């Protein structure tokens, strides 16, 4: 008695083997791929030996973190909250800058090609340069502290959110837009009545999601002096205060987890 | 009321598509005109040319003796006088029914009050009256996506009525509805238009409905007018002509 | 017509009541949001005046960067290649780790732990999903910690160099990728799974033939997206000494050679932009 499932599987397998005849260019392709990966591995010092050396060292590093020195939490909780504030303002600024640019970059809203091109270019520039590089720039401008951190986060995220907003607006159902246009409504009225209501839930989802990501990014802004918990983290790591590092890491994790939960709760309620 | 003179439309693209060829129609005030034709005959393009959602490539269109142009201010004024009803209803799904109907009043205002989604008391009265005409006032505060298809189309008619239009363009208003609801919607449309003296242009592809509701029928086939006369004169020969590309569709009376 | 007038009047009244209620609610939420923003702005010393005052410094900074010293590009070739190599291996390792982890992190493919005589209480406590919850928690830890933090730790454990960067990106990207794919696996079409179960296939066969084929396009697409993100992260890993373009950036900055810094930023921008372009084309081709 032949098992039908097995028979089917064998058939599929046979067909697969028949189709996947090895040709020369397949082999050449594989060889090039493997050579590329080997070359890349060589470039980044990734080798079995390095791994065998490195991983025990990393394990040892983490082992030294136990037990965490809980008293250190007293010094860290304030910068931790500051990190959240930076993320909040970073995202507010990102939306304030990104939304107008996104509207200008959306194909179905802005008809003027040069304007659209300009908006897209600006968004790309904002997006490509990491928040840490922006932070270096703003720290140089206004001095150390969380304020330049928030502005830096705002700049980078304006680029990311602006592009997402633009894409969301480009992908809406064009029917209602046509209907509102047909009533004789003006440009801005069409945006307000036909486009915004359609994309609003998506906008809120993006904002919440990038707020979560923003909190995670804000934890490292302190490395370049732009406020938040990153400064404490760098200091303890540089001074090899393993048990203090553990406390900082745990506080970051707790913070991120709470915010993830809260935001997924809000997100499940908006639709 | 509406005069179309030699209106043509060619879609430029990978391949040229001629949607309309020298269409001339004269519509009198208060008329209920059905434009009949198989899908792809250019009915939708014809309608969209009238309120310039599609810009015609040739000919002119007069509304009350004035040409409809692309100049923004004039176009807004013309569109305000022309209500439109769509096959897919095209309500803004996340807004309330009332807000959808109120959006028919947008052309009466500048964008400043619209920024806060505000309308004045008169607008609201008009909107609710329009909803009452299609017997939907009891659902005014529900979100539009909670309604059934027929109800959505009635709200869409109310939105068009809220413009206080002289003309309503109905582009396949019942193509997405089942026959019973379709008759109901067409009845509303015809009855209200008759009461208010609104001229209606209605695209249909079912001969059945055209015979039942139209005062006058324009037959469109491959972008040209092949028939123009009272619905009583729609003989099988003429239907054959309208649907001549594939005669089976003539039997497709829903 | 009086009946209609009555109905209209009633609806209008209802509308005004509802509008007032909505207005109160909107005002409440707006003032709450403004209060939060005001408070946090004060806490982090956010003020536009400082930014306006800082424009002198910003302008100074910018003018000293211009014109960019383009001859410095010849020293950046190595760093650029290294950035790409870090991203390639970081993402590749993440993809490899994610395949098993994402199966463990999905409720419908995770191995269930069952104890025959204790099953009912066990399931009520959700303990049969122990593997699932543990994996998810582990992935959340990887996700929650920024790759730069990992890089810092690894640099201090194994020394400066791109090796630390690869590991950092690999870990963080694993967290992201495996969680996303776990959710994707949970969202597969139930019908296909049931059809496969109805044929009498074992659990492993169901996973192989009904679950994985459905999740693969999203997995590939997200992996490509992750590569794009990894390139962007790899450009800053150098700030903590984990290789790539960021190292040149911070070096020239510390030496106050601003025109060279400008060149670094330019190269980073071009690299990220080019990757973004390639990745979006690649993803479009796959979907």
């Amino acid at each position: 008695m032949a098992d039908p499932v097995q028979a089917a599987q064998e058939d599929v397998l046979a067909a697969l083997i028949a189709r996947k005849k090895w040709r020369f260019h397949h082999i050449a392709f594989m060889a090039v791929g493997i050579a590329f990966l080997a070359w890349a591995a060589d470039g980044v010092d990734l080798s079995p030996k390095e791994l065998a050396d490195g991983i025990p060292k990393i394990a040892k590093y983490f082992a030294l973190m136990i037990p965490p020195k809980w008293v250190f939490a007293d010094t860290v909780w304030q910068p931790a909250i500051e990190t959240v504030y930076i993320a909040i303002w970073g995202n507010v600024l990102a939306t304030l800058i990104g939304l107008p640019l996104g509207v200008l970059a959306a194909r179905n809203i802005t008809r003027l090609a040069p304007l659209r091109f300009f908006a897209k270019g600006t968004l790309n520039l904002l997006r490509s340069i990491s928040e840490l590089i922006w932070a270096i720039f703003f720290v140089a401008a206004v001095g150390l502290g969380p304020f330049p951190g928030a502005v830096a986060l705002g700049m980078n995220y304006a680029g990311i959110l602006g592009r997402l907003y633009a894409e969301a607006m480009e992908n809406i159902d064009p029917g209602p837009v046509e209907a509102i246009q047909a009533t004789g409504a003006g440009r801005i009225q069409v945006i307000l009545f036909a486009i915004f209501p359609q994309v609003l839930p998506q906008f809120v989802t993006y904002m919440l999601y990038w707020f979560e990501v923003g909190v995670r990014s804000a934890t490292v802004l302190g490395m370049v002096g732009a406020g938040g918990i990153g400064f404490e983290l760098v200091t303890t790591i540089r001074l090899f205060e393993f048990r203090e590092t553990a406390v900082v890491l745990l506080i970051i994790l707790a913070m991120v987890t709470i915010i993830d939960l809260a935001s997924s709760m809000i997100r499940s309620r908006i639709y | 009321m509406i005069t179309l003179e030699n209106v043509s439309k060619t879609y430029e693209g990978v391949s040229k598509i001629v949607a309309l060829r020298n269409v001339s129609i004269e519509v009198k005030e208060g008329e209920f005109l059905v434009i009949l034709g198989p899908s792809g005959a250019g009915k939708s393009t014809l309608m969209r040319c009238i309120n310039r959602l599609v810009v015609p490539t040739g000919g002119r269109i007069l509304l009350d003796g004035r040409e409809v142009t692309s100049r923004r201010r004039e176009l807004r004024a013309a569109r305000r006088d022309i209500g439109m009803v769509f096959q897919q209803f095209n309500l803004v799904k996340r807004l309330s029914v009332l807000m959808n109907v109120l959006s028919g009043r947008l052309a009466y205002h500048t964008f400043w009050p619209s920024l806060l989604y505000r309308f004045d008391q008169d607008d609201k009265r008009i909107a609710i009256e329009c909803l009452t005409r299609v017997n939907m006032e009891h659902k005014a505060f529900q979100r539009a996506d909670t309604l059934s298809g027929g109800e959505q189309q009635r709200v869409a008619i109310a939105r068009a009525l809220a413009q206080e239009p002289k003309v309503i363009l109905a582009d396949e208003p019942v193509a997405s509805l089942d026959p019973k609801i379709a008759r109901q919607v067409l009845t509303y449309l015809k009855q209200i238009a008759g009461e208010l003296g609104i001229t209606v242009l209605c695209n249909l592809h079912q001969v059945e409905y055209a015979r039942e509701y139209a005062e006058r029928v324009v037959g469109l086939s491959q972008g040209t007018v092949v028939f123009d006369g009272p619905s009583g004169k729609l003989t099988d020969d003429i239907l054959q002509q309208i649907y001549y590309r594939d005669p089976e569709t003539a039997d497709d009376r829903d | 017509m009086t009946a209609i007038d009555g109905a209209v009047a009633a609806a209008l009244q209802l509308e005004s009541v509802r509008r007032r209620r909505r207005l109160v609610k909107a005002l409440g939420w707006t003032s709450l949001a403004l209060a939060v923003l005001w408070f946090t702005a004060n806490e982090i010393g956010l003020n536009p005046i400082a930014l306006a005052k800082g424009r002198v410094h910003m302008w100074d900074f910018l003018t000293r960067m211009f014109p960019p010293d383009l001859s410095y590009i010849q020293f950046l070739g190595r760093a650029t290649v290294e950035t790409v190599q870090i991203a390639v291996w970081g993402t590749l390792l993440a993809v490899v780790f994610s395949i098993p982890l994402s199966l463990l992190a999905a409720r419908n493919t995770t191995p269930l732990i069952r104890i025959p005589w204790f099953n009912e209480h066990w399931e009520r406590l959700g303990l049969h999903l122990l593997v699932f919850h543990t994996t998810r928690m582990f992935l959340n830890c990887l996700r929650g910690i920024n790759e730069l933090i990992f890089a810092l730790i690894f640099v201090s454990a194994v020394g400066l160099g791109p090796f630390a960067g690869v590991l950092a990106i690999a870990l963080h990207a694993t967290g992201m990728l495996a969680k996303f794919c776990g959710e994707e696996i949970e969202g597969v079409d139930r019908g296909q799974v049931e059809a496969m179960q109805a044929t009498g296939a074992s659990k492993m066969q169901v996973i192989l033939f009904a679950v994985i084929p459905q999740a693969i396009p999203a997995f590939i697409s997200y992996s490509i997206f992750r590569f794009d993100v990894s390139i962007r992260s790899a450009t800053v890993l150098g700030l903590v000494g984990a290789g790539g373009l960021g190292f040149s950036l911070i070096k020239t900055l510390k030496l106050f050679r601003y025109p060279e810094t400008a060149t670094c930023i330019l190269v980073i921008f071009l690299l990220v932009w080019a990757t973004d372009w390639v990745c979006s084309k690649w993803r479009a081709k796959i979907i």
Side-chain angles (χ1 to χ4, degrees), chain A residues 173-176 178-189 191-194 196-198 200-201 270-271, chain B residues 48 51 53 72 76 79-80 82 86 90-92 94-95 99 103 106-107 109-111 114-115 117 119 159 163:
Chain A
D173 172 13
E178 210 182 21
I180 302 288
Q181 269 174 356
T183 67
R187 264 289 187 47
I188 293 170
Q189 289 174 328
I191 296 177
L192 286 170
F193 279 79
F196 272 5
Q198 284 195 58
L200 199 66
I270 47 172
Y271 276 94
Chain B
R48 284 171 166 71
N51 62 5
L53 285 175
R72 193 175 293 181
R76 281 192 67 178
R79 280 181 178 170
R80 195 172 77 182
I82 307 174
F86 300 82
N90 289 354
L91 297 181
V92 184
R94 291 181 46 82
L95 294 182
M99 195 52 95
S103 67
L106 282 173
H109 300 286
T110 58
F111 75 88
S114 309
L115 268 182
Y117 296 83
F119 291 92
R159 172 173 65 189
Q163 288 172 240

Side-chain angles (χ1 to χ4, degrees), chain A residues 79-110:
Chain A
I81 291 174
E82 194 178 77
T83 310
V84 180
Y85 295 162
I86 293 174
I88 290 176
W89 265 99
N91 274 289
V92 170
L93 291 175
T95 296
L96 289 181
I97 303 167
L99 189 58
L101 283 172
V103 168
L104 289 180
R107 207 179 316 117
N108 53 348
I109 298 179
T110 309

